[in-house]
Amino acid sequence: MTEQSTDLRETVRRRYAAAAVQVTEGGTACCGPAAIDIDDTFGSALYTGGERDDLPAEAIAASLGCGNPTAVADLHEGDRVLDLGSGGGIDVLLSARRVGPTGRAYGLDMTEEMLTLALANQKKAGATNVEFLKGTIEAIPLPAATIDVVISNCVINLSTDKQTVFAETYRVLKPGGRIGVSDVIADDALSPAQRAERGDHVGCIAGALSFTEYRRGLQAAGFTDIEITPTHAVADEMHSALVKATKPHTANTPPEEPTTASPAPGRTDSTAGCCGN
């Protein structure tokens, strides 16, 4: 990782750590340029009232995304779901409801403050089929071919190595597995410099791929049946979009030894990092 990439990752970490602390202290957080204000572009307003019912207020307040990936992820009873950049846990808790007691919802985040908040939200929600892991989306701490669905909400655009994120997502999915991602994507006509003029990296704007770049990145990782559907504008010629894709049933994933994922702070049970129910 280059020095610039390391600096950007640390900037992102600090920004989301501060957002988690503010929510814990009774505020709200949002990924948009106005770091604390919630509007209809980023945040909990993108979820229905029914989805927000019975979720902890802190999970709703900590919603940082640009969409609602659980609305398109096509989750089923018994699925194992992984949320990349799970933040305060809103999408993990919603997924846990849908996959039921025979399924499992994993949340992966690199920010200890967000993981602490997510664990508190899990306890308040009484969700027993949920596990939060500490790590980066460029090096997912789970074995290959163990996840049915990968979701993410306005996080992949924050990575400085998106191709590795796509490859890691493909690796952990079972053959026939799928992604349902919300992300910020730029019109093809915009250069990287023009994207940066519309907002900074940590605000989910400057690091966004174009529609063509996003599709090519997924294809290079091996995904098929790619659908990218813009939903609403987040800046001039930049959009929140829903991304769906599939790992082919014929995909061959080489066997690997199970890896031990890092449990979130405060997690003590012996199953942390295991893909069993």
Side-chain angles (χ1 to χ4, degrees):
M1 181 178 291
T2 66
E3 183 177 349
Q4 181 182 20
S5 297
T6 301
D7 289 345
L8 277 173
R9 175 180 286 180
E10 177 59 18
T11 300
V12 170
R13 189 203 64 76
R14 288 199 305 266
R15 184 258 179 271
Y16 287 97
V21 170
Q22 180 155 356
V23 169
T24 301
E25 294 176 349
T28 58
C30 181
C31 183
I36 304 303
D37 294 334
I38 295 294
D39 57 24
D40 58 3
T41 301
F42 291 92
S44 62
L46 300 169
Y47 296 84
T48 67
E51 288 174 318
R52 296 193 298 266
D53 288 347
D54 301 323
L55 286 179
E58 292 83 358
I60 297 168
S63 177
L64 302 165
C66 59
N68 181 355
T70 61
V72 296
D74 191 25
L75 302 179
H76 303 291
E77 184 84 19
D79 276 346
R80 290 173 178 163
V81 184
L82 170 64
D83 181 16
L84 302 179
S86 48
I90 185 171
D91 291 317
V92 176
L93 296 176
L94 288 173
S95 297
R97 287 181 182 177
R98 298 190 182 190
V99 302
T102 61
R104 196 159 185 83
Y106 296 87
L108 174 65
D109 206 281
M110 69 175 180
T111 307
E112 288 192 14
E113 292 84 351
M114 275 296 183
L115 288 166
T116 299
L117 176 61
L119 285 166
N121 289 333
Q122 176 190 357
K123 184 176 181 179
K124 291 175 183 177
T128 58
N129 59 339
V130 165
E131 185 171 331
F132 290 102
L133 307 171
K134 184 178 181 181
T136 68
I137 62 176
E138 295 87 2
I140 300 171
L142 288 172
T146 51
I147 298 296
D148 296 293
V149 185
V150 172
I151 63 173
S152 185
N153 197 347
C154 205
V155 171
I156 295 175
N157 65 79
L158 294 171
S159 173
T160 58
D161 189 356
K162 297 174 182 61
Q163 197 57 52
T164 295
V165 176
F166 294 147
E168 276 288 274
T169 300
Y170 188 90
R171 179 186 67 81
V172 300
L173 281 170
K174 299 175 182 178
R178 55 205 183 276
I179 66 171
V181 169
S182 294
D183 216 353
V184 172
I185 303 181
D187 283 351
D188 288 338
L190 290 185
S191 68
Q194 289 171 321
R195 297 169 212 175
E197 291 171 356
R198 286 156 170 78
D200 61 12
H201 188 97
V202 75
C204 308
I205 301 296
L209 297 175
S210 71
F211 284 95
T212 295
E213 290 167 345
Y214 216 107
R215 180 177 294 275
R216 286 176 178 169
L218 290 171
Q219 289 172 334
F223 285 100
T224 59
D225 304 320
I226 300 167
E227 300 177 14
I228 304 177
T229 306
T231 57
H232 59 274
V234 298
D236 186 26
E237 299 177 279
M238 301 191 70
H239 316 268
S240 173
L242 295 173
V243 181
K244 299 173 69 175
T246 302
K247 180 175 181 176
H249 283 280
T250 55
N252 293 318
T253 302
E256 65 174 47
E257 292 297 321
T259 59
T260 301
S262 298
R267 186 63 182 261
T268 58
D269 71 278
S270 61
T271 63
C274 176
C275 283
N277 290 322

